[in-house]
Amino acid sequence: MTKDEAKREIQKVLDAACEHFWFDEHVETRFENMGRIAGQARNEYGRYVLRLNEQLLTPEYSEHAFDTIVHEIAHLICFHDPSLGRNHDAGWKRVCMILGGSGNRTHNLPLAKARRTRKA
């Protein structure tokens, strides 16, 4: 999966989020080396951020990228409307599955550790 393909998938899931949950917020997407973390959803002072591990963009992991995208967008929806769910509870799982995700809490992908650089 390329970055452009991932962005298209993200938009499809966001369209579904709008349709099912009236979630029409702007979401900033970041592709980063996150080590063993597949993705992360954040609410940074009212700004919704979706972080995806750039390792998911390799052919080896691309089949897992969609589930990670859905997983994290389900968190964004629950940040926006906490009555739908929190963390990885049953409500969050319901949101995730409605959007087409597996509802799994964790992954078992052998992602490489992130390299840290020392600051001088």
Side-chain angles (χ1 to χ4, degrees):
M1 179 179 286
T2 66
K3 276 187 187 178
D4 287 337
E5 290 170 334
K7 288 178 182 179
R8 282 192 293 274
E9 291 299 322
I10 290 165
Q11 190 57 56
K12 286 180 190 175
V13 177
L14 288 173
D15 290 346
C18 184
E19 179 183 334
H20 294 286
F21 302 104
W22 303 281
F23 180 81
D24 62 354
E25 301 295 322
H26 172 74
V27 175
E28 178 185 341
T29 303
R30 301 176 189 162
F31 296 94
E32 303 172 3
N33 181 352
M34 299 171 61
R36 293 185 176 161
I37 299 169
Q40 184 181 55
R42 297 174 66 148
N43 182 352
E44 296 178 348
Y45 306 103
R47 286 182 31 235
Y48 296 99
V49 178
L50 173 64
R51 296 176 63 216
L52 293 174
N53 192 325
E54 59 191 14
Q55 292 179 67
L56 295 178
L57 302 178
T58 62
E60 181 180 1
Y61 300 123
S62 63
E63 65 190 54
H64 302 284
F66 179 77
D67 198 50
T68 301
I69 289 167
V70 175
H71 177 114
E72 300 307 338
I73 290 176
H75 282 303
L76 295 177
I77 292 166
C78 291
F79 292 160
H80 183 70
D81 184 356
S83 70
L84 294 171
R86 291 188 50 183
N87 300 319
H88 293 110
D89 69 3
W92 167 85
K93 183 174 183 175
R94 180 182 159 276
V95 170
C96 186
M97 293 176 76
I98 287 171
L99 295 176
S102 66
N104 291 336
R105 289 185 56 201
T106 60
H107 70 82
N108 59 358
L109 303 174
L111 298 174
K113 289 183 180 179
R115 288 188 156 172
R116 295 182 185 237
T117 57
R118 298 182 102 196
K119 294 184 181 184

